[in-house]
Every structure is written in structure tokens, then in C-alpha cells.
Amino acid sequence: MAADEVLVLHRRMRSPRLESLHCRAFELRLAEDGRHLILSRYTELYCEDRSAWESIGHHRVPLVSLVRWMIGHGAQEDA
């Protein structure tokens, strides 16, 4: 995965009421340094009165830490 590529883990759009639209997405990408993964969360809410609300969060974790966690907590699969 190149630094400019994104893996979409989850994307959902729904309309809880006729006058609103709720969008949510979780994406994973490799940081430019190639040593960290970045998980991004996006939440947006649009309403009929043209009001909007947005929340964006990014979580960064070193690849080494993620691999160590997976080895320590994951189930080993036979090849």
C-alpha cells in the first residue's frame, strides 16, 4: 500500500429522518514515513436547514507495535 492509497474499512450513509443525512467512514492508510498506520474516522451530519456537523479524528500507531500486538494476541493459522 502506497502512502497515498487508502483502505476503506467501513463507509455508511443513512437518513435517520427525512430531513437529515448521516455519513460515517473509517479508513486506514500508511503514513508517508512508511513506518506508521493511520486510522481516520469521519462523521458528518447534514440537515434540511443547511446546518452541518463534522468530526474528523486520526489515530497513528507504529507498524512494529501493531505487528507485536497481532503476534501476542492473534490466533496462529496453519499455512
Side-chain angles (χ1 to χ4, degrees):
M1 179 186 289
D4 59 346
E5 293 182 73
V6 173
L7 175 63
V8 177
L9 301 173
H10 174 79
R11 184 171 285 154
R12 183 175 78 178
M13 292 177 62
R14 65 184 182 99
S15 184
R17 295 186 314 264
L18 289 175
E19 65 275 358
S20 66
L21 179 64
H22 183 236
C23 306
R24 172 177 279 171
F26 292 92
E27 299 175 347
L28 194 63
R29 67 182 167 86
L30 189 60
E32 288 185 20
D33 65 7
R35 296 172 52 186
H36 294 83
L37 281 180
I38 300 174
L39 175 71
S40 298
R41 300 177 292 117
Y42 304 96
T43 303
E44 297 178 64
L45 178 63
Y46 301 97
C47 296
E48 185 179 69
D49 63 1
R50 296 190 186 262
S51 64
W53 178 82
E54 179 181 285
S55 175
I56 300 172
H58 304 286
H59 305 274
R60 181 182 183 106
V61 68
L63 278 172
V64 170
S65 297
L66 179 63
V67 170
R68 286 179 182 153
W69 182 88
M70 289 176 72
I71 291 169
H73 293 85
Q76 186 172 354
E77 292 191 17
D78 296 324

